[in-house]
């Protein structure tokens, strides 16, 4: 057992493949590793380890995807002229700002979540934004973030030791205790192979719009806030 190191292992976690001996150790493992115990259907499996069970699992996964896509295609909002006009307007305005904004079909989680809008009167975007803090396993969703707001100002309520919310500050104390020069903001580069994931490093002193220019955005930006001094498996583009 990889949890208590005392009893013979009887179970193996479908998610992270760790061995456990009892229900108690399974629960401890899930709590300690923040593991949900659900097998990742899209996890990479090498050819040498690929079995008939993997093939059957992939086949069932593709069937589920097909059913979901078919249900989404039948959704009434897909054929709504108003919804199509709004999406066309968002993509068109983003293109003029040198941002390749791409939207997903109805039924996808990111499509349902996205609350990004464009103000014609002010001529600027109000973005739906997700902040991910990997070292604390924390995520926060922001709505209506103006495009001209700097990344430093966006992060202040989360990692600034003075201005951040006390509850958030406690959860992200590893960030608030670190100097601002140690904070690094990354965004995943889209349209790359799964085994070749890369990230763009963003400039905290510049506006959200300036950082998004020249990049591909699927629905809305997701920013990863990491610390340079801590080990991270996120590889920056060009390294």
């Amino acid at each position: 057992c990889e949890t208590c190191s005392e009893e013979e292992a009887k179970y193996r976690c479908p998610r992270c493949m760790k061995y456990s001996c009892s229900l108690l150790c399974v629960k401890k493992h899930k709590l300690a590793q923040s593991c949900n115990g659900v097998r990742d259907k899209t996890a990479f499996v090498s050819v040498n380890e690929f079995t008939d069970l993997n093939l059957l699992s992939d086949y069932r996964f593709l069937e589920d995807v097909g059913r979901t896509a078919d249900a989404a295609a039948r959704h009434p909002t897909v054929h709504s002229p108003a919804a199509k006009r709004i999406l066309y307007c968002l993509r068109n305005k983003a293109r003029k700002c040198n941002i390749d904004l791409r939207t997903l079909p109805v039924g996808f989680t990111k499509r349902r979540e996205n609350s990004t809008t464009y103000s014609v009167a002010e001529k600027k975007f109000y973005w739906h934004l997700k902040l991910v803090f990997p070292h604390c396993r924390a995520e926060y969703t922001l709505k209506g973030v103006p495009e001209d707001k700097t990344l430093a100002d966006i992060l202040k309520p989360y990692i600034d030791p003075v201005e951040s919310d006390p509850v958030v500050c406690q959860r992200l104390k590893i960030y608030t205790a670190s100097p601002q020069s140690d904070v690094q903001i990354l965004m995943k580069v889209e349209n790359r192979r799964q085994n070749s994931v890369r990230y763009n490093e963003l400039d905290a002193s510049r506006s959200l719009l300036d950082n998004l220019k020249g990049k591909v955005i699927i629905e809305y930006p997701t920013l990863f806030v990491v610390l340079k001094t801590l080990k991270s498996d996120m590889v920056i583009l060009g390294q």
Side-chain angles (χ1 to χ4, degrees):
C1 176
E2 295 185 51
T3 302
C4 67
S5 302
E6 294 177 359
E7 301 293 334
E8 183 180 354
K10 299 177 182 177
Y11 313 104
R12 193 176 188 183
C13 177
R15 182 77 178 186
C16 60
M17 299 301 173
K18 288 189 178 293
Y19 289 99
S20 301
C21 65
S22 62
L23 181 60
L24 181 61
C25 282
V26 169
K27 290 181 177 179
K28 285 182 179 179
H29 144 69
K30 287 183 178 180
L31 187 63
Q33 302 292 327
S34 298
C35 178
N36 58 14
V38 179
R39 185 177 64 84
D40 184 4
K41 296 180 181 179
T42 60
F44 175 76
V45 179
S46 65
V47 176
N48 296 333
E49 298 174 349
F50 201 84
T51 64
D52 290 343
L53 287 176
N54 296 116
L55 180 62
L56 182 61
S57 174
D58 286 353
Y59 181 74
R60 287 175 177 169
F61 175 70
L62 291 174
E63 282 187 323
D64 290 341
V65 171
R67 281 193 294 269
T68 304
D70 183 62
R74 297 171 186 269
H75 200 282
T77 56
V78 174
H79 309 287
S80 168
K84 289 182 178 179
R85 281 198 301 272
I86 291 172
L87 290 180
Y88 176 79
C89 175
L90 282 176
R91 291 193 296 262
N92 189 42
K93 295 297 183 182
R95 193 180 301 113
K96 290 181 179 179
C97 296
N98 193 25
I99 299 172
D100 187 357
L101 177 62
R102 304 183 185 183
T103 55
L104 298 169
V106 174
F108 281 77
T109 303
K110 291 189 76 172
R111 176 87 290 271
R112 292 198 305 268
E113 291 176 342
N114 195 2
S115 61
T116 300
T117 58
Y118 181 82
S119 172
V120 178
E122 299 178 71
K123 295 183 179 179
K124 70 177 182 180
F125 275 95
Y126 285 88
W127 288 95
H128 183 106
L129 190 64
K130 181 176 284 188
L131 299 178
V132 181
F133 298 86
H135 304 306
C136 296
R137 294 188 175 91
E139 291 186 6
Y140 297 94
T141 299
L142 288 71
K143 296 182 179 181
V145 181
E147 64 176 29
D148 52 359
K149 195 170 185 178
T150 64
L151 298 188
D153 289 337
I154 293 173
L155 291 178
K156 267 186 181 180
Y158 299 91
I159 62 174
D160 189 280
V162 178
E163 298 187 26
S164 61
D165 179 87
V167 177
V168 175
C169 182
Q170 179 62 26
R171 187 178 183 186
L172 303 178
K173 58 184 178 182
I174 191 173
Y175 289 91
T176 54
S178 302
Q180 294 296 313
S181 58
D182 194 27
V183 176
Q184 197 173 28
I185 307 171
L186 307 178
M187 189 171 71
K188 185 180 177 182
V189 180
E190 302 293 351
N191 296 332
R192 291 183 67 92
R193 297 191 306 274
Q194 189 175 2
N195 60 348
S196 180
V197 178
R198 294 292 182 273
Y199 293 84
N200 282 310
E201 184 174 6
L202 307 183
D203 188 347
S205 63
R206 302 182 68 183
S207 69
L208 179 59
L209 177 64
D210 289 338
N211 279 289
L212 296 182
K213 285 182 178 180
K215 298 178 179 65
V216 177
I217 308 294
I218 298 180
E219 289 293 347
Y220 56 81
T222 299
L223 308 185
F224 295 85
V225 186
V226 299
L227 297 174
K228 298 176 184 176
T229 53
L230 295 180
K231 184 181 178 182
S232 175
D233 57 355
M234 297 179 176
V235 183
I236 298 174
L237 190 68
Q239 290 185 344

